[in-house]
Amino acid sequence: MKKQARVSQWVLGPLRWIRKIRGFRIVYTPLLAIVIFTAVMGIILGTLQLQEKNQQEAALFRELVFAKQRIQLRFSNNTDSLLIMSRDIASSGDDGKVRSNVLQQAEALLGNAHEISKLLWININNEVQWVAQANRNKRDLILSDINGSDQGNRIKEALRKTINISHATGQPAYSQFIVLNDPEGEKASSDTKVVFWQVIPIFGGNENLGEIAVLYTAQGILDMIPAELKAQYRFTLVTDNERILAISSDRTTPKRSFSNQTSLDIGVLSPNLTLRIDTYPAPTNLTFRMLVGVVLGLSAFVIWSLWSVLKQMQVRQEAEANLKLETNFRNAMEDSTPVGIRGHDMDGRITYVNKAFCEMTGWQEKNLIGLKPPFPFWPDDKKTAQEEQMNLALDPQNHDAMRSGIRGIIVRHDGTPIDTRTFIAPLVNEKGVQTGWVTSVIDITDSTKAREELAASQERFITVLEGLDAAVSVVSIETGALLFANRFYRERFGNDSKGHFDLVGGEMAHHAMQELTEESGDRNPGIPPSALYQESESEEIQPSDESGKWYEVRRRFIPWIDEHMAQLLIATDITVRKEADELSRQQEEKMQFTSRLTTMGEMASSLAHELNQPLSAISNYCMGVVKRLQGAGDSDMSREILPALEKASEQAVRAGTIIQRIRGFVKRSEPQRELTSITEIINDAVGLLEIEANRHRLSIVSSIAENLPEVPVDPVLILQVLVNLLKNALDSVREAYPSSSRWSAPPVKIAADLDTSTFPAMLRIQVSDTGGGIAESVIDRMFEPFFSTKAEGMGMGLNICRSIIESHHGRLWAKNQMDPERTKLAGCAFTILLPLESEVNRETENERNSQTKPS
């Protein structure tokens, strides 16, 4: 607002001055002539200055392009010379004469190229064959004496990285820039302050035979520029981040100098370089400056003369206008303000009262003018005290101490008392002499009463909150600052807002609410009106501190006293209740688990006992039918029905065996191991489930490695495990593919091979499907007893499978498979590892080997 007022005053000032002098027509002609003369001379001088500037910028650009071409041509020539040397080295083999000739070429190159400080030939083993060192001045001596130092290590590390880049690309490569210090620890001279490497690969045919490494100095690049150009201009080498690498002169350029820059391309894999050029100040154009000075001086003199003539003519008009403006402003301000104003002379007599003071006291102006203290509008019992207080305030020595005003009481004409605060200031005339005092009186009756009621209410409110056995806190949504906290909160969480945010979700909750505040810009940012003052549902929260306490948290959004949004939180300690609930839950889970496990064992024993008889009957009936058919002599019927009946009988016997083994397994008996071909067990499992798979339009594919050894396992129990895993895989594929598209579903795979990643080697069986996979929350608990994701499942299948495998000293686990893009689950694979020999056989073999060893 101040800036806009200043601009308006700057624009309206000349307009007011023109309006004031428009009646003096005698000044129009000279004023117009001055304006035209000044404008024409300004245009001429500006045109000349612009032409000179364009000429200087064009010359600066030509010199910059020339310097750029000279530098790039020198680097191109150096690279060509180094490539010739690399070809000579590659073709020389062990010819010492050719290598000596190459060394002479390198020394000749160092003598002509002042930007090169060192040239090395490095063989394929990164060993330096020879070094060509330029010892032209002190800077080369510094570079030659850096071995073993920190900056020497940095130079070697940069060389190693550059060689790696050259090997990878097969082309000459450049290193990054290296800033050096001299060996005494002081800054190096400007000639060697920044260096960098160039590496030329040496190829013999398609074989890399080594590299030629050249150490350039950034200051040497500027030495390629002719001395006459550097005398007229200052050249600077800078990087992308405006870091200065080298500078041709320490002379500073003035503010009015011209500048230009261009990028340098010194090679394919070179670092980014920018060449900047700056001009030095040109010789002073004395004639041009004198002409400008004369024109400006004459214009200023004529304007000043005209201004002095008009000055006296405006004084009277300005004084009259200002007096009228001030009078109107004073009257308007006095009539509009509710503050009572009194004027006093040096004796304290009232000399002036405004309309607001008369309305405040109920006295008329004629009754107040001329009164001296004590005044009739003061209370009778406090006139002496208020008169002393006023005398103290009128004392100039107490003026600073009374800046906050004087608290007092005024009695209205009808006898009503009002609380007031009076401010006093000295009244000074135009000569700087104090002639009296001006007092401003403010009615503070309502604000005092409201303040007292608010203080009493706040005291009661604080007393109640401090006595609560719950943490109460209020936090600003905009700033995250703690606005209020009761005693319970301060004792548990301290005097900051960290505990509040721990109870509502951490600092992320504050940041999310603050982003809503910034986006909406509303008084209730991001919060619907229905949520204001509405208490949220209680939550049970455990803060991230180490106390381990649990709190029941309720919160709501409220507008704070400064009209900004805040969050009120009430947290009640429920740690004792949570600990009791958790202990009760654990005990109940243990009891349920024990009861269900006991029941499961009893059911397994009962089922094994009850099913043995019907299974034996089924087997006997089947074998009886087989005998009858064999005796009937009908070969066609026997050929079609006998195999099915034999298989049914065999499966009935197998079912009885499985039930007996499960019963024995529940009683913790050891499996009945025998050397068995895993191929037969897998083929039996696939045969049992092929009919069900075909019924659901699915298929099973087996992949068994050749020459697998027989393994000591219980074939019935292992068959039970494989059948269970294959059935689960078929169910997973069936759920992932609808019935109409199951013809395109990949088959369920079962594979067997040897896992040689372990010692000793183990038999590996893997069942994999392309279904929907297993959720991460389920895969960790899927082998627990009574845990199932199927509505009709008991949750014991996978637990029994793992127990069977572990009883064979093997392992069973599951792992999800991802699609090729690794964006979603694409099935699951169950893996079984079984030892190739039993523990008893292994111990017997170890004893036999120990007995055959010579003593």
Side-chain angles (χ1 to χ4, degrees):
M1 294 300 294
K2 293 181 178 179
K3 185 176 180 181
Q4 293 178 355
R6 194 180 302 112
V7 173
S8 300
Q9 185 178 3
W10 180 79
V11 173
L12 296 177
L15 297 178
R16 296 194 191 99
W17 181 74
I18 293 174
R19 284 198 298 267
K20 291 176 182 178
I21 67 172
R22 63 187 178 183
F24 310 104
R25 301 189 180 185
I26 191 172
V27 301
Y28 285 173
T29 301
L31 182 61
L32 182 61
I34 292 172
V35 172
I36 294 175
F37 173 78
T38 304
V40 172
M41 294 306 298
I43 293 173
I44 293 174
L45 296 177
T47 302
L48 294 175
Q49 185 71 12
L50 182 60
Q51 290 178 354
E52 183 180 3
K53 179 181 178 181
N54 292 336
Q55 292 175 359
Q56 291 180 358
E57 290 179 346
L60 183 68
F61 180 76
R62 288 194 302 270
E63 302 299 347
L64 178 62
V65 172
F66 173 76
K68 173 183 177 181
Q69 293 175 351
R70 188 179 180 90
I71 293 173
Q72 293 183 165
L73 180 60
R74 174 66 69 85
F75 270 94
S76 178
N77 293 337
N78 291 345
T79 304
D80 293 339
S81 300
L82 295 172
L83 290 174
I84 293 172
M85 293 169 58
S86 68
R87 288 194 292 269
D88 293 341
I89 293 174
S91 62
S92 65
D94 295 330
D95 190 353
K97 182 178 180 180
V98 175
R99 295 193 175 190
S100 176
N101 186 25
V102 172
L103 180 58
Q104 292 177 2
Q105 293 179 14
E107 292 175 351
L109 178 62
L110 289 174
N112 295 328
H114 291 252
E115 65 276 9
I116 299 177
S117 176
K118 183 184 291 187
L119 193 147
L120 296 82
W121 174 24
I122 304 172
N123 63 10
I124 190 61
N125 298 321
N126 289 332
E127 298 175 353
V128 179
Q129 299 297 308
W130 47 257
V131 179
Q133 178 76 34
N135 294 323
R136 289 184 288 269
N137 48 35
K138 181 181 179 181
R139 68 181 185 181
D140 298 314
L141 295 177
I142 293 175
L143 288 174
S144 63
D145 195 26
I146 59 176
N147 291 331
S149 63
D150 179 68
Q151 61 187 14
N153 294 332
R154 289 192 289 113
I155 290 179
K156 291 180 180 179
E157 180 64 17
L159 176 58
R160 183 186 64 78
K161 292 181 179 179
T162 310
I163 291 174
N164 293 338
I165 295 175
S166 178
H167 283 176
T169 59
Q171 297 182 2
Y174 291 82
S175 72
Q176 297 299 319
F177 298 102
I178 311 165
V179 180
L180 300 180
N181 299 328
D182 64 7
E184 288 74 19
E186 299 177 356
K187 288 290 185 181
S189 63
S190 60
D191 292 348
T192 58
K193 188 175 182 179
V194 179
V195 297
F196 62 97
W197 288 100
Q198 181 188 13
V199 174
I200 307 296
I202 302 174
F203 286 98
N206 295 327
E207 183 180 1
N208 191 339
L209 302 179
E211 299 84 23
I212 295 178
V214 181
L215 185 63
Y216 282 93
T217 61
Q219 192 66 32
I221 297 176
L222 296 182
D223 292 342
M224 303 177 189
I225 302 173
E228 56 270 21
L229 284 183
K230 292 192 287 186
Q232 298 178 8
Y233 306 98
R234 185 181 73 179
F235 293 86
T236 309
L237 279 179
V238 295
T239 58
D240 289 341
N241 56 2
E242 297 299 320
R243 182 166 64 94
I244 296 178
L245 302 177
I247 191 167
S248 63
S249 174
D250 294 332
R251 294 171 57 188
T252 58
T253 58
K255 295 182 179 179
R256 60 185 181 87
S257 64
F258 299 102
S259 179
N260 204 338
Q261 65 182 25
T262 183
S263 60
L264 286 177
D265 183 13
I266 61 175
V268 177
L269 299 176
S270 63
N272 295 330
L273 271 176
T274 301
L275 180 63
R276 181 185 298 165
I277 184 173
D278 299 284
T279 61
Y280 293 115
T284 304
N285 191 343
L286 185 59
T287 304
F288 180 81
R289 292 191 175 186
M290 289 181 61
L291 180 60
V292 174
V294 169
V295 172
L296 295 178
L298 290 176
S299 300
F301 177 77
V302 175
I303 292 175
W304 177 78
S305 300
L306 181 62
W307 175 260
S308 62
V309 172
L310 299 176
K311 192 66 176 179
Q312 297 299 325
M313 302 171 64
Q314 299 172 9
V315 170
R316 184 173 181 178
Q317 291 182 349
E318 291 178 357
E320 293 176 354
N322 290 335
L323 181 60
K324 184 177 181 180
L325 180 62
E326 292 294 334
T327 303
N328 293 336
F329 179 76
R330 175 185 170 184
N331 294 334
M333 182 178 64
E334 291 179 356
D335 292 340
S336 62
T337 180
V339 179
I341 300 176
R342 300 197 309 261
H344 301 265
D345 58 14
M346 296 302 295
D347 297 328
R349 184 181 291 106
I350 297 178
T351 58
Y352 170 80
V353 291
N354 69 338
K355 181 180 179 181
F357 186 80
C358 295
E359 294 176 351
M360 184 185 300
T361 60
W363 293 74
Q364 296 183 0
E365 181 180 358
K366 61 181 180 179
N367 298 327
L368 295 175
I369 298 298
L371 294 179
K372 293 182 63 176
F375 300 119
F377 46 79
W378 284 351
D380 294 336
D381 56 343
K382 296 183 179 180
K383 284 186 178 181
T384 303
Q386 292 196 192
E387 184 177 2
E388 293 177 357
Q389 193 175 21
M390 181 176 179
N391 292 333
L392 289 174
L394 295 180
D395 189 352
Q397 297 180 355
N398 301 327
H399 178 66
D400 294 335
M402 296 296 179
R403 288 185 179 274
S404 60
I406 304 172
R407 179 79 177 272
I409 298 177
I410 290 179
V411 179
R412 295 175 55 85
H413 194 267
D414 58 3
T416 304
I418 57 175
D419 291 335
T420 61
R421 185 173 293 277
T422 303
F423 299 89
I424 300 177
L427 180 61
V428 181
N429 62 9
E430 71 279 1
K431 297 180 180 180
V433 179
Q434 182 177 354
T435 60
W437 305 87
V438 175
T439 61
S440 301
V441 183
I442 302 175
D443 186 356
I444 60 172
T445 303
D446 295 337
S447 60
T448 301
K449 185 182 297 184
R451 189 181 301 110
E452 291 174 352
E453 293 177 355
L454 179 62
S457 175
Q458 183 179 6
E459 184 177 357
R460 293 191 297 269
F461 177 72
I462 295 298
T463 302
V464 173
L465 290 182
E466 291 293 333
L468 290 177
D469 288 334
V472 180
S473 59
V474 180
V475 169
S476 171
I477 293 178
E478 182 177 355
T479 63
L482 183 65
L483 303 178
F484 173 79
N486 68 341
R487 174 191 55 81
F488 191 92
Y489 180 92
R490 294 192 301 271
E491 292 176 353
R492 295 294 182 94
F493 304 103
N495 295 322
D496 54 24
S497 59
K498 183 178 182 302
H500 182 103
F501 290 127
D502 285 345
L503 293 173
V504 297
E507 289 291 337
M508 293 302 295
H510 169 236
H511 294 326
M513 191 60 65
Q514 191 175 29
E515 290 177 0
L516 292 174
T517 302
E518 296 173 353
E519 291 176 0
S520 65
D522 194 7
R523 181 175 178 269
N524 299 331
I527 303 172
S530 59
L532 196 62
Y533 295 109
Q534 182 178 355
E535 184 175 312
S536 65
E537 295 183 1
S538 61
E539 300 177 277
E540 295 181 353
I541 303 295
Q542 185 178 29
S544 58
D545 55 12
E546 299 179 356
S547 63
K549 298 290 185 180
W550 281 89
Y551 296 90
E552 183 180 9
V553 179
R554 298 183 298 275
R555 59 182 182 268
R556 66 173 62 173
F557 295 105
I558 60 173
W560 196 239
I561 55 178
D562 57 358
E563 296 187 355
H564 287 88
M565 290 304 301
Q567 187 182 57
L568 169 65
L569 182 141
I570 302 174
T572 305
D573 189 349
I574 59 171
T575 305
V576 176
R577 190 184 75 189
K578 289 290 292 184
E579 292 176 351
D581 293 345
E582 179 64 19
L583 182 60
S584 175
R585 185 188 64 80
Q586 293 177 359
Q587 295 295 334
E588 183 177 356
E589 286 184 355
K590 290 180 180 179
M591 293 177 62
Q592 291 178 357
F593 175 77
T594 303
S595 175
R596 293 172 67 186
L597 196 60
T598 303
T599 303
M600 189 67 187
E602 294 174 355
M603 291 175 60
S605 299
S606 176
L607 287 175
H609 177 74
E610 296 296 333
L611 291 178
N612 270 334
Q613 293 180 357
L615 287 174
S616 299
I618 292 172
S619 178
N620 293 333
Y621 285 139
C622 289
M623 294 306 299
V625 173
V626 169
K627 296 294 183 180
R628 295 286 299 275
L629 290 175
Q630 289 176 349
D634 191 348
S635 59
D636 294 336
M637 182 179 296
S638 299
R639 187 169 53 255
E640 295 177 356
I641 299 177
L642 284 179
L645 291 174
E646 290 175 352
K647 289 183 179 181
S649 177
E650 181 182 352
Q651 294 304 320
V653 173
R654 184 183 298 274
T657 306
I658 290 174
I659 293 173
Q660 290 296 331
R661 296 291 171 84
I662 292 177
R663 182 181 180 184
F665 178 76
V666 171
K667 294 180 179 180
R668 288 295 181 183
S669 62
E670 287 295 323
Q672 300 178 10
R673 295 187 179 87
E674 60 185 50
L675 288 176
T676 307
S677 172
I678 197 64
T679 303
E680 296 179 0
I681 298 176
I682 292 176
N683 292 335
D684 290 344
V686 173
L688 288 174
L689 291 176
E690 274 185 340
I691 297 177
E692 182 179 357
N694 294 333
R695 183 166 57 88
H696 294 292
R697 302 182 183 179
L698 300 175
S699 60
I700 304 175
V701 175
S702 60
S703 175
I704 305 173
E706 297 180 356
N707 300 324
L708 289 178
E710 294 183 343
V711 288
V713 296
D714 188 326
V716 176
L717 294 182
I718 298 300
L719 177 63
Q720 176 190 352
V721 172
L722 297 183
V723 169
N724 197 350
L725 296 181
L726 286 173
K727 188 175 184 304
N728 288 343
L730 290 173
D731 292 342
S732 178
V733 177
R734 185 160 52 89
E735 292 176 0
Y737 290 86
S739 177
S740 59
S741 63
R742 285 179 190 164
W743 60 270
S744 62
V748 173
K749 297 181 181 179
I750 180 170
D753 59 1
L754 290 181
D755 184 6
T756 57
S757 62
T758 61
F759 182 81
M762 303 181 73
L763 177 66
R764 177 171 56 195
I765 306 173
Q766 193 171 58
V767 178
S768 59
D769 61 75
T770 57
I774 304 174
E776 292 297 330
S777 59
V778 175
I779 201 168
D780 295 333
R781 300 187 56 195
M782 59 190 301
F783 292 103
E784 295 180 4
F786 305 111
F787 178 82
S788 176
T789 58
K790 300 178 181 179
E792 69 279 3
M794 296 183 60
M796 291 300 296
L798 289 177
N799 178 260
I800 293 176
C801 290
R802 170 171 278 188
S803 300
I804 291 174
I805 297 300
E806 289 178 350
S807 68
H808 284 77
H809 305 288
R811 289 187 295 150
L812 169 63
W813 72 89
K815 184 178 181 181
N816 282 322
Q817 301 181 114
M818 304 296 292
D819 62 346
E821 292 78 13
R822 302 195 65 79
T823 57
K824 62 179 182 179
L825 296 178
C828 182
F830 284 80
T831 304
I832 301 173
L833 289 182
L834 294 171
L836 296 179
E837 57 183 3
S838 65
E839 295 293 330
V840 177
N841 294 339
R842 187 180 298 113
E843 293 176 359
T844 304
E845 183 67 23
N846 292 337
E847 292 177 359
R848 185 183 301 111
N849 292 337
S850 62
Q851 293 175 1
T852 57
K853 289 183 179 179
S855 57

